[in-house]
Amino acid sequence: MTLDLTAELAATRLMAVIRGTDTAAAIAAGTALLAEGVSIVEVALTTPGACAAIEAIRATAPEGALVGAGTVLTTADVADVAAAGAQFVVTPAVVESIGEAVRRGLPVAAGALTPTEAYTAVRLGASAVKLFPASVGGPAYLKAVRDPFPDIPFVAVGGVGLADLPGYLAAGAIAVGVGGPLVGDAASGGDLDALRERARAYLAAVGTS
Protein backbone atom coordinates (compact mmCIF):
# COMPACT_ATOMS: atom_id res chain seq x y z
CA MET A 1 0.00 0.00 0.00
CA THR A 2 1.35 3.42 -0.97
CA LEU A 3 2.23 5.71 1.92
CA ASP A 4 -0.13 8.68 2.25
CA LEU A 5 2.49 11.25 3.21
CA THR A 6 -0.01 14.11 3.22
CA ALA A 7 -2.25 12.37 5.72
CA GLU A 8 0.71 11.50 7.95
CA LEU A 9 1.98 15.09 7.91
CA ALA A 10 -1.49 16.45 8.63
CA ALA A 11 -1.88 14.06 11.55
CA THR A 12 1.48 14.73 13.19
CA ARG A 13 2.02 18.34 12.02
CA LEU A 14 5.78 18.09 12.60
CA MET A 15 8.68 16.85 10.49
CA ALA A 16 12.21 16.97 11.89
CA VAL A 17 14.98 17.83 9.44
CA ILE A 18 18.38 16.35 10.27
CA ARG A 19 21.29 18.10 8.61
CA GLY A 20 24.63 17.46 10.28
CA THR A 21 28.33 16.92 9.80
CA ASP A 22 28.71 13.43 11.27
CA THR A 23 27.00 10.16 10.36
CA ALA A 24 26.95 8.67 13.85
CA ALA A 25 25.67 11.91 15.37
CA ALA A 26 22.92 12.12 12.74
CA ILE A 27 21.85 8.57 13.60
CA ALA A 28 21.86 9.39 17.31
CA ALA A 29 19.82 12.54 16.71
CA GLY A 30 17.26 10.74 14.57
CA THR A 31 16.94 7.92 17.07
CA ALA A 32 16.46 10.38 19.94
CA LEU A 33 13.79 12.30 18.04
CA LEU A 34 11.83 9.15 17.28
CA ALA A 35 12.14 8.01 20.89
CA GLU A 36 10.62 11.30 22.04
CA GLY A 37 7.64 10.83 19.74
CA VAL A 38 8.60 12.85 16.65
CA SER A 39 7.32 10.36 14.10
CA ILE A 40 8.50 11.91 10.82
CA VAL A 41 12.22 12.42 10.33
CA GLU A 42 14.07 13.59 7.23
CA VAL A 43 17.82 13.14 6.79
CA ALA A 44 19.32 15.64 4.36
CA LEU A 45 21.71 14.20 1.78
CA THR A 46 24.17 16.99 2.60
CA THR A 47 24.86 15.03 5.82
CA PRO A 48 27.92 12.77 5.42
CA GLY A 49 26.80 9.14 5.14
CA ALA A 50 23.16 10.21 4.87
CA CYS A 51 22.02 6.98 3.25
CA ALA A 52 23.72 4.91 5.94
CA ALA A 53 22.04 7.11 8.55
CA ILE A 54 18.63 6.60 6.95
CA GLU A 55 19.14 2.85 6.95
CA ALA A 56 20.29 2.80 10.57
CA ILE A 57 17.50 5.05 11.86
CA ARG A 58 14.86 3.00 10.05
CA ALA A 59 16.24 -0.21 11.53
CA THR A 60 15.32 0.88 15.05
CA ALA A 61 12.38 3.18 14.30
CA PRO A 62 9.13 2.57 16.20
CA GLU A 63 6.22 1.13 14.28
CA GLY A 64 4.43 3.85 12.33
CA ALA A 65 7.40 6.21 12.26
CA LEU A 66 8.58 7.52 8.89
CA VAL A 67 12.19 8.09 7.86
CA GLY A 68 12.85 9.95 4.64
CA ALA A 69 15.55 11.69 2.66
CA GLY A 70 15.93 15.41 2.08
CA THR A 71 17.87 17.55 -0.40
CA VAL A 72 17.14 14.89 -3.03
CA LEU A 73 18.01 16.52 -6.34
CA THR A 74 18.70 13.95 -9.06
CA THR A 75 17.43 10.63 -10.35
CA ALA A 76 20.63 9.07 -8.99
CA ASP A 77 19.82 10.51 -5.56
CA VAL A 78 16.39 8.88 -5.68
CA ALA A 79 17.93 5.51 -6.51
CA ASP A 80 20.37 5.85 -3.61
CA VAL A 81 17.78 6.82 -1.00
CA ALA A 82 15.33 4.17 -2.20
CA ALA A 83 18.05 1.55 -1.74
CA ALA A 84 18.66 2.88 1.77
CA GLY A 85 14.99 2.41 2.65
CA ALA A 86 13.81 6.01 2.62
CA GLN A 87 10.03 6.10 2.87
CA PHE A 88 9.60 9.55 1.36
CA VAL A 89 11.60 12.23 -0.46
CA VAL A 90 11.94 15.95 0.19
CA THR A 91 13.42 18.42 -2.28
CA PRO A 92 14.54 22.04 -1.85
CA ALA A 93 13.18 23.06 -5.26
CA VAL A 94 11.32 21.85 -8.34
CA VAL A 95 13.95 19.40 -9.58
CA GLU A 96 14.28 16.22 -11.63
CA SER A 97 14.08 13.94 -8.61
CA ILE A 98 10.35 14.63 -8.21
CA GLY A 99 9.37 12.71 -11.32
CA GLU A 100 11.71 9.83 -10.56
CA ALA A 101 10.46 9.48 -6.98
CA VAL A 102 6.86 9.49 -8.19
CA ARG A 103 7.75 6.83 -10.79
CA ARG A 104 9.15 4.65 -8.00
CA GLY A 105 6.12 5.19 -5.77
CA LEU A 106 7.98 7.33 -3.23
CA PRO A 107 5.87 10.24 -2.00
CA VAL A 108 7.47 13.66 -2.39
CA ALA A 109 7.30 16.91 -0.46
CA ALA A 110 8.65 19.23 -3.15
CA GLY A 111 10.30 22.53 -2.38
CA ALA A 112 8.71 25.67 -3.82
CA LEU A 113 8.54 29.35 -2.96
CA THR A 114 6.42 30.97 -5.66
CA PRO A 115 2.88 30.17 -6.75
CA THR A 116 4.20 28.97 -10.12
CA GLU A 117 6.63 26.58 -8.45
CA ALA A 118 3.98 25.25 -6.09
CA TYR A 119 1.58 24.57 -8.95
CA THR A 120 4.31 22.97 -11.05
CA ALA A 121 5.40 20.70 -8.19
CA VAL A 122 1.89 19.34 -7.78
CA ARG A 123 1.52 18.85 -11.54
CA LEU A 124 4.71 16.77 -11.44
CA GLY A 125 3.15 14.51 -8.82
CA ALA A 126 4.32 15.91 -5.48
CA SER A 127 2.17 14.81 -2.55
CA ALA A 128 2.82 18.04 -0.67
CA VAL A 129 4.56 21.35 -1.27
CA LYS A 130 7.34 22.39 1.07
CA LEU A 131 7.14 26.19 1.19
CA PHE A 132 10.84 27.00 1.43
CA PRO A 133 12.32 29.08 2.85
CA ALA A 134 9.13 29.93 4.72
CA SER A 135 10.86 32.54 6.84
CA VAL A 136 11.23 34.83 3.81
CA GLY A 137 7.56 35.79 4.00
CA GLY A 138 6.31 34.19 7.19
CA PRO A 139 2.74 33.01 7.81
CA ALA A 140 1.26 35.96 5.89
CA TYR A 141 3.08 34.88 2.73
CA LEU A 142 1.99 31.27 3.20
CA LYS A 143 -1.62 32.43 3.43
CA ALA A 144 -1.26 34.58 0.32
CA VAL A 145 0.21 31.71 -1.71
CA ARG A 146 -2.31 29.24 -0.36
CA ASP A 147 -5.40 31.36 -1.04
CA PRO A 148 -5.52 30.56 -4.81
CA PHE A 149 -4.49 26.95 -4.15
CA PRO A 150 -6.64 25.79 -1.21
CA ASP A 151 -6.24 22.15 -2.22
CA ILE A 152 -2.43 22.14 -2.18
CA PRO A 153 -1.08 20.76 1.11
CA PHE A 154 1.67 23.14 2.20
CA VAL A 155 4.40 22.33 4.72
CA ALA A 156 6.25 25.39 6.05
CA VAL A 157 10.00 24.77 6.21
CA GLY A 158 12.95 27.04 6.86
CA GLY A 159 13.51 29.03 10.03
CA VAL A 160 10.35 27.88 11.81
CA GLY A 161 11.09 28.66 15.45
CA LEU A 162 8.91 27.44 18.28
CA ALA A 163 7.18 30.83 18.57
CA ASP A 164 6.51 30.91 14.80
CA LEU A 165 4.86 27.51 14.64
CA PRO A 166 1.28 28.45 15.64
CA GLY A 167 1.20 31.20 13.01
CA TYR A 168 2.04 28.82 10.18
CA LEU A 169 -0.55 26.29 11.27
CA ALA A 170 -3.15 29.03 11.61
CA ALA A 171 -2.28 30.25 8.09
CA GLY A 172 -3.12 26.82 6.70
CA ALA A 173 0.07 24.76 6.74
CA ILE A 174 -0.74 21.09 7.29
CA ALA A 175 2.61 20.73 9.07
CA VAL A 176 5.95 22.39 9.68
CA GLY A 177 9.39 21.03 8.90
CA VAL A 178 12.04 22.09 11.40
CA GLY A 179 15.80 21.74 11.17
CA GLY A 180 18.07 24.08 13.11
CA PRO A 181 15.56 25.40 15.66
CA LEU A 182 14.72 21.82 16.67
CA VAL A 183 17.79 19.71 15.91
CA GLY A 184 20.38 22.36 16.74
CA ASP A 185 23.89 20.90 16.68
CA ALA A 186 22.81 17.43 17.79
CA ALA A 187 23.41 15.95 14.31
CA SER A 188 26.98 17.23 14.49
CA GLY A 189 27.78 15.81 17.92
CA GLY A 190 25.87 18.26 20.10
CA ASP A 191 23.82 17.75 23.24
CA LEU A 192 21.20 15.02 22.83
CA ASP A 193 19.48 15.89 26.10
CA ALA A 194 18.90 19.42 24.84
CA LEU A 195 17.55 17.94 21.60
CA ARG A 196 15.08 15.80 23.52
CA GLU A 197 13.92 18.83 25.48
CA ARG A 198 13.35 20.82 22.28
CA ALA A 199 11.51 17.87 20.75
CA ARG A 200 9.11 17.75 23.69
CA ALA A 201 8.49 21.50 23.35
CA TYR A 202 7.71 21.21 19.62
CA LEU A 203 5.43 18.23 20.14
CA ALA A 204 3.55 20.15 22.80
CA ALA A 205 3.24 23.13 20.44
CA VAL A 206 1.66 21.05 17.67
CA GLY A 207 -0.54 19.27 20.19
CA THR A 208 0.68 15.72 19.58
CA SER A 209 2.71 15.17 22.74
Side-chain angles (χ1 to χ4, degrees), residues 98-176:
I98 298 171
E100 178 64 13
V102 171
R103 188 185 71 79
R104 288 173 174 263
L106 277 175
V108 184
L113 181 61
T114 68
T116 299
E117 291 167 351
Y119 180 74
T120 302
V122 172
R123 289 293 298 270
L124 290 173
S127 299
V129 169
K130 162 186 154 180
L131 188 70
F132 176 79
S135 58
V136 168
Y141 180 73
L142 166 63
K143 182 182 183 304
V145 175
R146 186 175 172 272
D147 279 350
F149 301 119
D151 296 330
I152 293 180
F154 283 97
V155 180
V157 182
V160 182
L162 192 60
D164 308 311
L165 191 154
Y168 285 109
L169 296 179
I174 63 165
V176 295

Side-chain angles (χ1 to χ4, degrees), residues 10-129:
T12 63
R13 299 198 283 185
L14 177 65
M15 176 175 69
V17 181
I18 296 174
R19 189 184 302 277
T21 59
D22 179 82
T23 310
I27 294 169
T31 302
L33 285 163
L34 292 172
E36 287 299 331
V38 177
S39 59
I40 304 180
V41 172
E42 164 202 336
V43 180
L45 290 189
T46 51
T47 303
C51 287
I54 290 166
E55 192 170 357
I57 295 168
R58 268 214 73 184
T60 60
E63 185 177 354
L66 301 178
V67 182
T71 323
V72 179
L73 303 176
T74 67
T75 55
D77 287 342
V78 176
D80 289 342
V81 303
Q87 293 163 284
F88 62 93
V89 162
V90 182
T91 78
V94 179
V95 288
E96 67 180 61
S97 59
I98 298 171
E100 178 64 13
V102 171
R103 188 185 71 79
R104 288 173 174 263
L106 277 175
V108 184
L113 181 61
T114 68
T116 299
E117 291 167 351
Y119 180 74
T120 302
V122 172
R123 289 293 298 270
L124 290 173
S127 299
V129 169

